[in-house]
């Protein structure tokens, strides 16, 4: 088993863009500590444009496994709800920094029709370990639905080639299932412009009538 500090170092930039990991290597430890914050690279105009170009599309049904905090969900079953889908992974400082915002959005808006869904995309050289996924979701305080996106199948289908510069992308869908806002990735925390944009768009979509 690899030293946990070595594992954490390999995951420190777990939300930056790269290919899915190979299946080789020993299993990681059962719990991965949440990393301290690091400076987020600036989102370039090209990356922002790639994210914005996805607005207006209706994403395909997700392909998921290992749901937590809920029975398995289908995207099509959530029509009539506003849906915030955030990709996250273990050992990612941007994901742990964004976790409080996701928890707060779920707390403040679930009763008004928002469904927050966390999509786990495994990174690093070690094979996917369900215990790490489950432990990290608990460490992040996720009580809303979370699922495993094997081989990044859903992420790649939703991006269909768009390069946002990160893999920790967030999609906000309206009650008809149409993408209305895409955060390119990295973090959004209360007090910054990305958080304010996400919150304002959530409120806007919740105010729209159900189809």
């Amino acid at each position: 088993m690899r030293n946990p500090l070595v594992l954490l170092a390999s995951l420190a930039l777990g939300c930056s863009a790269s290919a899915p990991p190979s299946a080789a290597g020993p299993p990681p430890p059962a719990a991965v500590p949440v990393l301290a914050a690091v400076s987020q690279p600036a989102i370039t105009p090209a990356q922002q444009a790639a994210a914005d170009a996805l607005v207006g599309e209706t994403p395909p049904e997700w392909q998921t496994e290992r749901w937590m905090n809920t029975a398995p969900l289908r995207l099509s079953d959530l029509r009539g709800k506003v849906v915030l889908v955030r990709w996250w992974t273990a050992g990612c400082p941007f994901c742990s920094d964004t976790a409080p915002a996701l928890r707060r959005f779920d707390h403040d808006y679930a009763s008004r029709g928002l469904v927050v869904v966390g999509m786990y995309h495994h990174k690093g050289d070690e094979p996917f370990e369900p215990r790490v996924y489950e432990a990290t979701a608990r460490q992040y305080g996720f009580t809303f639905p979370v699922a495993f996106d094997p081989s990044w199948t859903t992420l790649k289908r939703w991006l269909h080639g768009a390069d946002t510069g990160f893999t920790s992308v967030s999609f906000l869908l309206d009650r008809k299932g149409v993408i209305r806002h895409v955060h390119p990735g990295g973090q959004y925390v209360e007090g910054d412009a990305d958080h304010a944009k996400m919150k304002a768009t959530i409120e806007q979509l919740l105010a729209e009538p159900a189809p």
Side-chain angles (χ1 to χ4, degrees):
M1 181 176 296
R2 291 179 61 184
N3 186 307
L5 294 179
V6 175
L7 173 62
L8 290 177
S10 70
L11 292 172
L13 293 180
C15 295
S16 60
S18 66
S22 67
V32 177
V34 176
L35 297 183
V38 298
S39 178
Q40 174 172 306
I43 296 171
T44 68
Q47 291 165 348
Q48 185 63 60
D52 292 344
L54 299 171
V55 173
E57 298 188 3
T58 301
E61 184 62 59
W62 51 46
Q63 305 296 317
T64 57
E65 299 176 0
R66 295 186 173 275
W67 283 89
M68 293 177 60
N69 305 325
T70 182
L73 295 174
R74 289 179 55 83
L75 179 61
S76 57
D77 294 334
L78 298 180
R79 293 292 189 268
K81 301 284 189 179
V82 174
V83 182
L84 171 58
V85 185
R86 161 79 185 205
W87 268 264
W88 61 281
T89 192
C92 167
F94 307 138
C95 300
S96 59
D97 283 355
T98 303
L102 300 178
R103 295 195 302 265
R104 187 61 181 266
F105 289 150
D106 176 60
H107 177 272
D108 290 353
Y109 298 118
S111 63
R112 294 174 53 187
L114 176 71
V115 178
V116 178
V117 177
M119 288 286 182
Y120 183 88
H121 63 298
H122 176 60
K123 302 194 76 168
D125 294 333
E126 295 74 17
F128 169 69
E129 171 52 64
R131 294 175 301 165
V132 172
Y133 154 58
E134 294 162 1
T136 307
R138 289 191 293 269
Q139 289 169 349
Y140 287 174
F142 291 167
T143 57
F144 47 78
V146 297
F148 171 48
D149 179 13
S151 301
W152 305 8
T153 301
T154 298
L155 177 60
K156 289 185 287 187
R157 292 182 69 194
W158 284 31
L159 287 173
H160 54 80
D163 180 10
T164 68
F166 296 85
T167 58
S168 53
V169 186
S170 297
F171 291 80
L172 187 59
L173 281 60
D174 66 16
R175 297 182 190 273
K176 297 179 181 179
V178 177
I179 297 171
R180 298 286 292 275
H181 176 60
V182 179
H183 183 263
Q187 67 190 38
Y188 40 92
V189 299
E190 189 167 4
D192 69 22
D194 288 347
H195 181 280
K197 174 65 174 178
M198 182 68 73
K199 181 177 180 179
T201 309
I202 288 171
E203 294 180 345
Q204 172 192 336
L205 298 184
L206 289 173
E208 295 179 357

